[in-house]
PDB file of all heavy atoms in Angstrom:
ATOM      1  N   LEU A 131      25.745 -43.306 -49.932  1.00  0.00           N
ATOM      2  CA  LEU A 131      24.423 -43.416 -49.312  1.00  0.00           C
ATOM      3  C   LEU A 131      24.006 -42.121 -48.627  1.00  0.00           C
ATOM      4  O   LEU A 131      22.870 -41.673 -48.770  1.00  0.00           O
ATOM      5  CB  LEU A 131      24.444 -44.571 -48.300  1.00  0.00           C
ATOM      6  CG  LEU A 131      23.129 -45.011 -47.668  1.00  0.00           C
ATOM      7  CD1 LEU A 131      22.119 -45.408 -48.738  1.00  0.00           C
ATOM      8  CD2 LEU A 131      23.365 -46.169 -46.708  1.00  0.00           C
ATOM      9  N   ALA A 132      24.917 -41.502 -47.869  1.00  0.00           N
ATOM     10  CA  ALA A 132      24.576 -40.269 -47.151  1.00  0.00           C
ATOM     11  C   ALA A 132      25.850 -39.549 -46.731  1.00  0.00           C
ATOM     12  O   ALA A 132      26.892 -40.169 -46.530  1.00  0.00           O
ATOM     13  CB  ALA A 132      23.727 -40.571 -45.923  1.00  0.00           C
ATOM     14  N   ASP A 133      25.754 -38.226 -46.606  1.00  0.00           N
ATOM     15  CA  ASP A 133      26.827 -37.392 -46.064  1.00  0.00           C
ATOM     16  C   ASP A 133      26.265 -36.643 -44.861  1.00  0.00           C
ATOM     17  O   ASP A 133      25.197 -36.024 -44.963  1.00  0.00           O
ATOM     18  CB  ASP A 133      27.319 -36.376 -47.096  1.00  0.00           C
ATOM     19  CG  ASP A 133      28.061 -37.037 -48.248  1.00  0.00           C
ATOM     20  OD1 ASP A 133      28.903 -37.905 -47.982  1.00  0.00           O
ATOM     21  OD2 ASP A 133      27.792 -36.682 -49.413  1.00  0.00           O
ATOM     22  N   VAL A 134      26.957 -36.697 -43.737  1.00  0.00           N
ATOM     23  CA  VAL A 134      26.424 -36.075 -42.524  1.00  0.00           C
ATOM     24  C   VAL A 134      27.515 -35.347 -41.748  1.00  0.00           C
ATOM     25  O   VAL A 134      28.694 -35.700 -41.812  1.00  0.00           O
ATOM     26  CB  VAL A 134      25.765 -37.127 -41.597  1.00  0.00           C
ATOM     27  CG1 VAL A 134      24.523 -37.713 -42.247  1.00  0.00           C
ATOM     28  CG2 VAL A 134      26.737 -38.233 -41.241  1.00  0.00           C
ATOM     29  N   PHE A 135      27.094 -34.320 -41.013  1.00  0.00           N
ATOM     30  CA  PHE A 135      27.893 -33.690 -39.964  1.00  0.00           C
ATOM     31  C   PHE A 135      27.303 -34.191 -38.644  1.00  0.00           C
ATOM     32  O   PHE A 135      26.237 -33.722 -38.229  1.00  0.00           O
ATOM     33  CB  PHE A 135      27.797 -32.164 -40.041  1.00  0.00           C
ATOM     34  CG  PHE A 135      28.449 -31.557 -41.251  1.00  0.00           C
ATOM     35  CD1 PHE A 135      27.685 -30.978 -42.253  1.00  0.00           C
ATOM     36  CD2 PHE A 135      29.824 -31.547 -41.381  1.00  0.00           C
ATOM     37  CE1 PHE A 135      28.280 -30.403 -43.366  1.00  0.00           C
ATOM     38  CE2 PHE A 135      30.437 -30.972 -42.487  1.00  0.00           C
ATOM     39  CZ  PHE A 135      29.668 -30.407 -43.488  1.00  0.00           C
ATOM     40  N   PRO A 136      27.951 -35.122 -37.937  1.00  0.00           N
ATOM     41  CA  PRO A 136      27.334 -35.744 -36.767  1.00  0.00           C
ATOM     42  C   PRO A 136      27.054 -34.789 -35.611  1.00  0.00           C
ATOM     43  O   PRO A 136      26.061 -34.967 -34.898  1.00  0.00           O
ATOM     44  CB  PRO A 136      28.361 -36.804 -36.340  1.00  0.00           C
ATOM     45  CG  PRO A 136      29.233 -37.020 -37.517  1.00  0.00           C
ATOM     46  CD  PRO A 136      29.262 -35.723 -38.249  1.00  0.00           C
ATOM     47  N   SER A 137      27.925 -33.801 -35.403  1.00  0.00           N
ATOM     48  CA  SER A 137      27.772 -32.893 -34.251  1.00  0.00           C
ATOM     49  C   SER A 137      28.092 -31.481 -34.691  1.00  0.00           C
ATOM     50  O   SER A 137      29.048 -30.858 -34.217  1.00  0.00           O
ATOM     51  CB  SER A 137      28.701 -33.321 -33.098  1.00  0.00           C
ATOM     52  OG  SER A 137      28.430 -34.633 -32.688  1.00  0.00           O
ATOM     53  N   SER A 138      27.294 -30.948 -35.599  1.00  0.00           N
ATOM     54  CA  SER A 138      27.630 -29.674 -36.234  1.00  0.00           C
ATOM     55  C   SER A 138      27.605 -28.496 -35.271  1.00  0.00           C
ATOM     56  O   SER A 138      28.144 -27.436 -35.588  1.00  0.00           O
ATOM     57  CB  SER A 138      26.673 -29.403 -37.394  1.00  0.00           C
ATOM     58  OG  SER A 138      25.318 -29.423 -36.945  1.00  0.00           O
ATOM     59  N   GLY A 139      27.004 -28.644 -34.104  1.00  0.00           N
ATOM     60  CA  GLY A 139      27.003 -27.564 -33.130  1.00  0.00           C
ATOM     61  C   GLY A 139      28.321 -27.413 -32.399  1.00  0.00           C
ATOM     62  O   GLY A 139      28.551 -26.382 -31.758  1.00  0.00           O
ATOM     63  N   MET A 140      29.194 -28.435 -32.500  1.00  0.00           N
ATOM     64  CA  MET A 140      30.459 -28.353 -31.775  1.00  0.00           C
ATOM     65  C   MET A 140      31.657 -28.853 -32.559  1.00  0.00           C
ATOM     66  O   MET A 140      32.792 -28.627 -32.151  1.00  0.00           O
ATOM     67  CB  MET A 140      30.366 -29.149 -30.469  1.00  0.00           C
ATOM     68  CG  MET A 140      30.197 -30.639 -30.654  1.00  0.00           C
ATOM     69  SD  MET A 140      30.087 -31.536 -29.069  1.00  0.00           S
ATOM     70  CE  MET A 140      28.498 -30.967 -28.487  1.00  0.00           C
ATOM     71  N   SER A 141      31.447 -29.538 -33.690  1.00  0.00           N
ATOM     72  CA  SER A 141      32.559 -30.167 -34.402  1.00  0.00           C
ATOM     73  C   SER A 141      32.418 -29.993 -35.899  1.00  0.00           C
ATOM     74  O   SER A 141      31.306 -29.918 -36.436  1.00  0.00           O
ATOM     75  CB  SER A 141      32.599 -31.662 -34.054  1.00  0.00           C
ATOM     76  OG  SER A 141      33.571 -32.337 -34.828  1.00  0.00           O
ATOM     77  N   ASP A 142      33.592 -29.948 -36.580  1.00  0.00           N
ATOM     78  CA  ASP A 142      33.580 -29.888 -38.046  1.00  0.00           C
ATOM     79  C   ASP A 142      33.685 -31.287 -38.661  1.00  0.00           C
ATOM     80  O   ASP A 142      33.869 -31.422 -39.873  1.00  0.00           O
ATOM     81  CB  ASP A 142      34.710 -28.988 -38.569  1.00  0.00           C
ATOM     82  CG  ASP A 142      36.104 -29.518 -38.231  1.00  0.00           C
ATOM     83  OD1 ASP A 142      36.214 -30.568 -37.560  1.00  0.00           O
ATOM     84  OD2 ASP A 142      37.099 -28.880 -38.632  1.00  0.00           O
TER      85      ASP A 142
END
Side-chain angles (χ1 to χ4, degrees):
L131 189 57
D133 291 315
V134 294
F135 292 111
S137 301
S138 56
M140 66 180 69
S141 174
D142 64 358

